[in-house]
Amino acid sequence: MSKLYLKLLIFLLCGGIFSSAHTQTTPSCNASTLSLQSLDRGTDGLLATFSLSPQPEVSDYQIRYQYLLAGVEMENILADIPELFTLKLASDTGQHRFTLINICLEGDLHTGSQLLLDFNNSSFECPIPSNLQIEDLDNTFVSFQWAPEDRALFWHVKYETADGFVQEFDTPEPFVNQDLRSSNTHLFTIYAVCDDQALIGNNTLARQSPAIQFMIVTVDDIKALRVSCEDLNKIVIKAYRLYCTKHGHFGPNKEAFLAAHNDCMPNALPADIDAIRQVRVFPNPTNDYISLSLVLNQAIWLQVDLLSPNGQLVETFTPSLRLLSGQSVLRFLVKECRPGLYWIRIRTNHHFMMKKILIMK
């Protein structure tokens, strides 16, 4: 089992995106894909083995591991990830979500594939679908496969879309060729069904494995996608793969997808779009306070909030503040916050921008 450092801190995925006045830089490296290789019960608990596809210009990888422990949501960051690694899971119940984080050679980072393992109503004696590979994807069709398993009678597949469409079917072979509905999100859940001779006396001949779940996002034209920036982030944050017909294939690179399209959102109004010329947050990392420096082209009203990694409001620093043109520096205390990565959201009348900060103790 690879030696991993478990850090109990909150890691930022994609809680928000910049306004069109401030375009993010596309990450300087391509995102990798995360794949579950096996799930085994060891002497001290469940052991999940993952592999990732290495990419050039990626200096390091991390895994964000989310799970429930005694009803409390927990998040661990696993650092120094090799291409093949084994992780002891926190429990053998509930759902366990894994997100791959790519750290580029130039120091920027972005999130990649995200997989969810669901242990509810399952038997670990029946093998979980593993080594998932998406073979083909466009906005109307997807094909994917996983490793064959002799113990599986068949695999059950559930396909869901954002508009409430649900289709369920069984497949005797470990692959799926699926026509996609007209929807932005496509959620697939797969589990194996195995013969269980021990349960014949209970009139039950089969049991199901833990399920693996992943989402792909297909967009015909981001300019026609009538959702808010926050909703777009919520969609993209769960994606295993991304596809946009008018703008090319973005693979699992979520931040590159958002950065490429943040000036195409239909709900950004131009009234104060050029009001903010420059924004800087310092010191970053910090342990007690942050300073927010803004250079304005005109006087504006704004609100400054501190957000958690999943976009929830932690604190409103300024509910409504009018700043004059020129440079202004605001200072906010953050020493009561738990260590981790957060968003600083700067909101004007018609748009907003986000800045990442790291709070350390």
Side-chain angles (χ1 to χ4, degrees):
M1 178 174 180
S2 302
K3 185 175 181 181
L4 304 172
Y5 298 100
L6 298 183
K7 300 179 181 179
L8 288 174
L9 58 85
I10 302 177
F11 190 86
L12 183 61
L13 279 175
C14 295
I17 55 179
F18 288 96
S19 69
S20 57
H22 300 270
T23 304
Q24 290 191 71
T25 302
T26 301
S28 59
C29 57
N30 293 322
S32 300
T33 300
L34 181 69
S35 180
L36 175 72
Q37 295 297 301
S38 63
L39 179 68
D40 302 296
R41 186 182 292 278
T43 56
D44 57 348
L46 288 177
L47 302 177
T49 299
F50 296 89
S51 66
L52 57 89
S53 57
Q55 292 284 353
E57 300 179 342
V58 176
S59 63
D60 202 0
Y61 300 93
Q62 295 179 342
I63 295 292
R64 184 190 191 202
Y65 174 31
Q66 300 168 281
Y67 57 94
L68 286 177
L69 187 62
V72 178
E73 294 183 0
M74 303 291 292
E75 295 181 0
N76 296 344
I77 293 296
L78 288 63
D80 303 323
I81 300 297
E83 295 178 17
L84 183 68
F85 64 96
T86 300
L87 169 66
K88 177 185 174 183
L89 301 187
S91 69
D92 58 0
T93 59
Q95 295 182 340
H96 300 250
R97 189 181 299 275
F98 303 88
T99 305
L100 180 61
I101 303 156
N102 304 261
I103 304 173
C104 306
L105 287 174
E106 296 186 7
D108 54 323
L109 57 86
H110 59 83
T111 55
S113 302
Q114 182 179 95
L115 291 175
L116 183 141
L117 306 184
D118 191 346
F119 297 155
N120 295 315
N121 303 315
S122 63
S123 168
F124 297 102
E125 301 304 319
C126 189
I128 192 170
S130 61
N131 197 22
L132 173 72
Q133 302 289 333
I134 292 182
E135 301 298 322
D136 191 18
L137 171 64
D138 59 35
N139 66 322
T140 62
F141 176 82
V142 65
S143 65
F144 54 90
Q145 64 181 23
W146 55 97
E149 172 55 57
D150 292 339
R151 289 174 291 172
L153 295 175
F154 56 86
W155 288 268
H156 185 80
V157 180
K158 184 177 182 180
Y159 169 41
E160 303 171 80
T161 64
D163 59 3
F165 173 80
V166 177
Q167 178 185 3
E168 297 191 57
F169 56 91
D170 297 328
T171 172
E173 302 295 337
F175 63 83
V176 167
N177 296 319
Q178 179 69 42
D179 291 326
L180 298 178
R181 300 262 299 182
S182 178
S183 178
N184 298 319
T185 62
H186 311 270
L187 183 67
F188 289 93
T189 305
I190 312 168
Y191 60 81
V193 177
C194 301
D195 189 12
D196 191 347
Q197 296 296 325
L199 298 178
I200 292 178
N202 297 326
N203 297 321
T204 303
L205 299 178
R207 53 188 171 183
Q208 71 181 57
S209 74
I212 185 170
Q213 186 180 91
F214 67 97
M215 178 186 287
I216 59 175
V217 175
T218 59
V219 180
D220 184 27
D221 187 355
I222 197 73
K223 296 178 182 179
L225 181 59
R226 297 288 172 174
V227 298
S228 68
C229 295
E230 294 96 330
D231 288 340
L232 180 62
N233 276 273
K234 291 177 183 178
I235 292 172
V236 172
I237 203 172
K238 296 181 180 179
Y240 183 83
R241 288 278 184 171
L242 302 170
Y243 184 86
C244 187
T245 59
K246 297 293 178 68
H247 304 277
H249 192 286
F250 289 84
N253 191 336
K254 299 179 177 66
E255 288 192 1
F257 184 90
L258 293 171
H261 298 313
N262 63 13
D263 59 350
C264 297
M265 295 306 297
N267 55 329
L269 301 179
D272 54 5
I273 204 166
D274 296 321
I276 302 177
R277 185 165 74 245
Q278 185 183 93
V279 177
R280 189 164 67 95
V281 177
F282 62 94
N284 191 11
T286 184
N287 57 12
D288 54 359
Y289 74 93
I290 59 167
S291 293
L292 177 62
S293 174
L294 302 103
V295 179
L296 307 178
N297 292 324
Q298 66 188 58
I300 59 171
W301 290 89
L302 57 78
Q303 176 175 318
V304 181
D305 300 310
L306 180 68
L307 304 182
S308 69
N310 58 9
Q312 294 181 334
L313 180 66
V314 175
E315 182 177 354
T316 296
F317 291 135
T318 60
S320 183
L321 178 66
R322 188 174 188 268
L323 297 179
L324 301 178
S325 61
Q327 183 174 14
S328 299
V329 179
L330 308 175
R331 181 167 169 164
F332 309 111
L333 292 175
V334 294
K335 62 182 180 181
E336 299 301 323
C337 296
R338 293 189 302 171
L341 282 161
Y342 292 83
W343 285 115
I344 295 294
R345 180 176 64 188
I346 304 155
R347 177 184 295 174
T348 65
N349 288 336
H350 300 296
H351 69 284
F352 69 91
M353 65 187 67
M354 312 290 288
K355 289 286 188 180
K356 297 176 183 178
I357 65 166
L358 174 61
I359 299 176
M360 305 178 67
K361 298 299 182 182

